Amino acid sequence: MADNIFKRISNALTSIGNTDVKGTPVSNLNRSMPPAQLQRLRQDVGMWRASISEAEQAYYPHRVKMQQMYVDTVINSHVASAMERRKDLTLLRDYEVLDAQGNEIEGLEDIFDSQWFDQLVSYSLDAIFYGYSLIGLNDIDNGQFKDLSLIKRWQISPDRLEVTRFIYSQNGAKFLEEPYKDWHIWCTTPSDNGQSQCGYGLLYKVALLEIFLRNTLAYNGDFVELYSQPYRIGTTTKTNEDERAQLERALQNMGSSGYAVIDPQDEIKFLETALGGTGWKGYENLEQRCQKAISKLILGHADALDSTAGKLGATQGEDTPIYQAMEDKQTKDGRYIENIINGQLIPKMRNLGFKLPEGIVFKFSNNAETEEVKLKQVDYATKLSAVAVNLKNAGLGIDEQFFTEETGIPVYVNPTAMPSVPFSNKVKNKLNDLYN
């Protein structure tokens, strides 16, 4: 009886607060949660330590504080830019769907070349940063998942594989079991230390640096206010309070081309200070160090975000550490997404009624690798051709079959390109014709 009352109350609250949430409690576990605002807390090093203590509790570990910290961490513009750049390395890649023989299958563009699929890949990549993602597929509309949902991470227990109705609940819906499993995609990361079944995500390492970065910006703002802005001083002989208040308002509103009408006895001064000296450099130095460390954690190189313009390797060259680091991240993330698509999405789509051929494999295209191989082949063929010319000038030759096997370029004798006859031989032949 008590359980039925609880369910009816929860469903009533859900219908009031989540009227815009799509799907059903089966296809979207967000529908099973009563409306509740996430409490935003002041983040500092103490909270950073408390979050991992909560996640590593021996009994009933939780990720609430950790996810509360992450939602503030990603607000930082540098962190957000680095995360977006990392995700773009995968989201902007071409892909193909292959059959069991490795041949590309045509006719699946409507399924995979769609907005919902790009959103699913984006949510899946977020697991690398947050530690995990649970994606609700929601209802099927005309052969498409129109409204994907990201299940609230602070109400997910990655250790018990449950989604709870309220934070810190000890039990909830087991999303890897019926009736939820075919309607949800579970993206997880390897454990950092074996204490949990799921990793903490890159943002746990980034969060400490972001706390220092955020505080540095606040301290720098106080420094500018104290030492960089001139101090305004008003001197007056007025004794009437209204007149003195008028001068005071003029001093307060000096910004944005402010002005004041004063008597000859009044005076306004701007007192500037040199007490700041070079102190501002300390804030700038610490800010840059934190930003470089964040870039190194997310993109693999300290200068990957600020020094590389355009697409991957556009200005730095393919042999630079920046290019190699980002290429490694791209390859690693690509394999992560391929495993999710082939291991979860495609089988679940079949279970939900999608007509997908058996044995199909989703795979990212290695355009960069293919182009690199071609460039190396052209370079080798050019060098081998130079060797062949030198051999010919020395009266020797190179085997055509060997050249083709080495370079992959078929060669043949062009009958229209007849060897030129030396000028002296031409004159000699004409003389022979005249005398004959």
Side-chain angles (χ1 to χ4, degrees), residues 315-331:
T315 59
Q316 297 294 326
E318 297 183 359
D319 295 329
T320 63
I322 296 176
Y323 180 90
Q324 294 298 328
M326 296 182 72
E327 188 178 49
D328 291 343
K329 297 298 183 185
Q330 183 186 67
T331 302

Side-chain angles (χ1 to χ4, degrees), residues 162-174:
E162 295 176 344
V163 173
T164 62
R165 289 179 177 269
F166 305 96
I167 61 172
Y168 293 117
S169 293
Q170 304 301 329
N171 52 64
K174 296 187 177 297

Side-chain angles (χ1 to χ4, degrees), residues 223 227-228 273-281:
F223 181 91
Y227 298 109
S228 297
T273 177
L275 294 177
T278 59
W280 58 271
K281 293 183 179 179

Side-chain angles (χ1 to χ4, degrees), residues 232-245:
R232 290 159 290 181
I233 301 175
T235 304
T236 180
T237 59
K238 295 183 176 70
T239 58
N240 183 277
E241 290 299 327
D242 292 337
E243 293 178 345
R244 293 173 66 90

Side-chain angles (χ1 to χ4, degrees), residues 294-320:
I294 291 172
S295 296
K296 187 182 294 185
L297 282 170
I298 296 178
L299 296 172
H301 196 282
D303 296 324
L305 189 63
D306 296 326
S307 298
T308 303
K311 63 179 182 179
L312 185 61
T315 59
Q316 297 294 326
E318 297 183 359
D319 295 329
T320 63

Side-chain angles (χ1 to χ4, degrees), residues 11 72 81 85 156 185 218 230 233 244 248 279 283 285 297 317 335 339 343 353 366 371 374-375 402:
N11 292 334
D72 283 333
S81 298
R85 186 71 185 97
I156 297 174
I185 303 294
I233 301 175
R244 293 173 66 90
E248 182 180 359
Y283 299 105
N285 180 271
L297 282 170
R335 292 175 179 174
N339 290 333
N366 294 321
E371 189 66 24
K374 289 182 179 179
L375 291 175
F402 170 78

